[in-house]
Amino acid sequence: YERFMGDLHQVLGDQAQLFKGAGDGDAGATVVRHLSRTGWLARLFGTRLAYRRYQIEHASFALMLAPHLRCGGFDVVHIIDPPLAAHLVRLRRWLRLTFKLVFTHGGPAAVQLSPDIDHVHCLTEEAAQQMRASGVDAARVSVLPVGIWRERFLPTLSRHALRDQWGLPHDQFVALCVGAVNRHHKRIDHLIAEVAAGPSDLLLWLDGSLHPDGDVALLDLARERLGERFRHTQVPSDRVGELFCMADLLVSTAVAESFGMAVVEAMSVGMPVVVHDSPHFSTLLGDGAHRVDMAQPGALATFLRALRSGHTALRPAQDPQSAVARFAWQLLRPAYIGMYSRLCAPVAGRLNPH
């Protein structure tokens, strides 16, 4: 969520103002102080009331955002967190504001949206079909993918130099997974089990955050099952390209994704990837990816054994730049601006008049 909104803000430039919950502020980005679910509330309640803390976080963020919205004269407010949408619908009504509210459906789970949200932005046609099937009028739905900056993932050092820097043998086979450390979505527990049942010379490198809802027990499980064949990092976004260059294969065991940013970014620099065999990934990646039934226990382990025995050959994108060129932010910028412009056009029969 943060990457998408941060990149979109950069693409729009001085036409947009970014409001965020953490980090540093500047002329174009304002930090909104609020009650974070991982701050003192988490220290007070521990793992209890996790959902309640999540709701408090978004309610307090909306409340502290209200003065900015009242004074800012914004034409469009674009958000991606479902709980925040309901709060901003109410704030807009109470404060008699006229901005258009755009919600990005950025998660794999279905959401129920207020009819007062002016426009729903979906990352894939599949998600758009779900929105329309739930009752959202087709005129209020747009489909635009997440953009990527391919140049950010091109390494400045050689593969051998990077492996020396990270303390990896040059001949070590490394399967990389980039994503949140959880069970329900990224299915990291399944990934650990499959690697443990796979070839004994394979190292699993997991790069992912434990904040705010990661499962630290998964790191203990990986160390128990894999020992020295496991590493965990959380590198800054501008260093993920080093991991792409250093590893042999990117693996995602998620069976449902709203998009799949890390997979697209890896393919953009020619890295071989293996994903779930589903219509979503087929549409997203074409023939450039290996596909395995990730819902079937043992399927990934079988694939990895075949890979290491030479029965299956790695298939990197032959022309990585063209394989995912349609996701370049430079090409998507006019489409995003067009979505906002159409929403703000003073035409008869406005979607949500106020």
Side-chain angles (χ1 to χ4, degrees):
Y1 284 10
E2 293 84 356
R3 282 269 305 283
F4 167 66
M5 282 298 182
D7 285 353
L8 181 57
H9 173 245
Q10 182 179 345
V11 166
L12 296 174
D14 59 8
Q15 297 186 66
Q17 177 77 17
L18 177 66
F19 294 98
K20 57 184 183 176
D24 299 322
D26 55 37
T30 300
V31 178
V32 178
R33 302 301 176 190
H34 64 291
L35 297 176
S36 169
R37 67 186 186 274
T38 59
W40 68 266
L41 287 174
R43 292 192 293 272
L44 181 62
F45 293 106
T47 59
R48 294 174 294 151
L49 304 177
Y51 182 71
R52 178 65 65 184
R53 288 190 280 114
Y54 180 65
Q55 296 295 323
I56 291 173
E57 177 180 65
H58 286 90
S60 64
F61 186 92
L63 183 64
M64 299 304 288
L65 182 63
H68 299 284
L69 298 180
R70 191 167 189 175
C71 300
F74 298 106
D75 298 302
V76 174
V77 175
H78 188 168
I79 60 173
I80 196 170
D81 289 284
L84 189 57
H87 295 305
L88 292 187
V89 164
R90 286 190 287 268
L91 276 177
R92 181 174 61 178
R93 183 171 62 250
W94 293 341
L95 299 177
R96 298 181 181 275
L97 300 177
T98 59
F99 63 79
K100 297 295 187 178
L101 188 60
V102 176
F103 171 75
T104 288
H105 180 25
V111 293
Q112 291 295 322
L113 299 177
S114 165
D116 291 322
I117 291 175
D118 297 288
H119 204 72
V120 180
H121 162 229
C122 296
L123 306 180
T124 65
E125 180 58 38
E126 181 181 19
Q129 291 174 3
Q130 293 173 356
M131 284 289 102
R132 291 190 285 265
S134 71
V136 179
D137 183 61
R140 293 198 298 134
V141 179
S142 291
V143 180
L144 287 172
V146 173
I148 64 169
W149 300 101
R150 177 178 181 268
E151 56 274 17
R152 292 183 181 176
F153 303 99
L154 297 174
T156 57
L157 297 175
S158 70
R159 175 185 171 90
H160 282 181
L162 287 171
R163 287 201 165 206
D164 289 341
Q165 188 178 90
W166 286 96
L168 272 181
H170 291 180
D171 59 351
Q172 174 75 65
F173 190 91
V174 178
L176 171 68
C177 176
V178 177
V181 183
N182 63 45
R183 300 169 188 264
H184 59 280
H185 176 202
K186 299 300 183 180
R187 302 177 70 240
I188 301 302
D189 52 334
H190 177 76
L191 174 62
I192 293 167
E194 294 295 296
V195 172
S200 60
D201 64 341
L202 186 148
L203 183 144
L204 173 62
W205 191 302
L206 174 61
D207 186 78
S209 174
L210 291 169
H211 174 84
D213 301 313
D215 186 348
V216 69
L218 288 171
L219 304 184
D220 296 331
L221 176 65
R223 295 184 183 108
E224 176 187 339
R225 298 290 304 274
L226 301 174
E228 295 183 355
R229 296 196 296 121
F230 172 72
R231 288 201 188 185
H232 171 250
T233 55
Q234 185 186 346
V235 304
S237 295
D238 58 4
R239 296 194 66 185
V240 172
E242 295 181 17
L243 304 185
F244 289 163
C245 177
M246 183 178 57
D248 297 280
L249 177 71
L250 184 88
V251 180
S252 170
T253 45
V255 296
E257 282 282 15
S258 57
F259 186 69
M261 187 184 297
V263 179
V264 172
E265 290 167 343
M267 280 193 65
S268 76
V269 293
M271 187 179 189
V273 302
V274 56
V275 294
H276 180 50
D277 188 5
S278 70
H280 168 75
F281 283 114
S282 179
T283 301
L284 185 73
L285 306 174
D287 296 329
H290 296 276
R291 287 191 287 273
V292 170
D293 184 359
M294 296 294 179
Q296 178 64 39
L300 177 59
T302 299
F303 170 83
L304 293 172
R305 287 194 296 269
L307 191 65
R308 296 303 294 138
S309 66
H311 294 298
T312 298
L314 282 177
R315 187 172 61 245
Q318 296 301 310
D319 185 353
Q321 189 164 5
S322 66
V324 291
R326 66 190 186 280
F327 303 124
W329 269 123
Q330 298 90 327
L331 298 179
L332 291 172
R333 182 180 186 273
Y336 275 88
I337 292 177
M339 177 177 68
Y340 301 141
S341 299
R342 289 189 298 274
L343 188 58
C344 294
V347 296
R350 290 165 60 181
L351 292 174
N352 188 24
H354 290 277

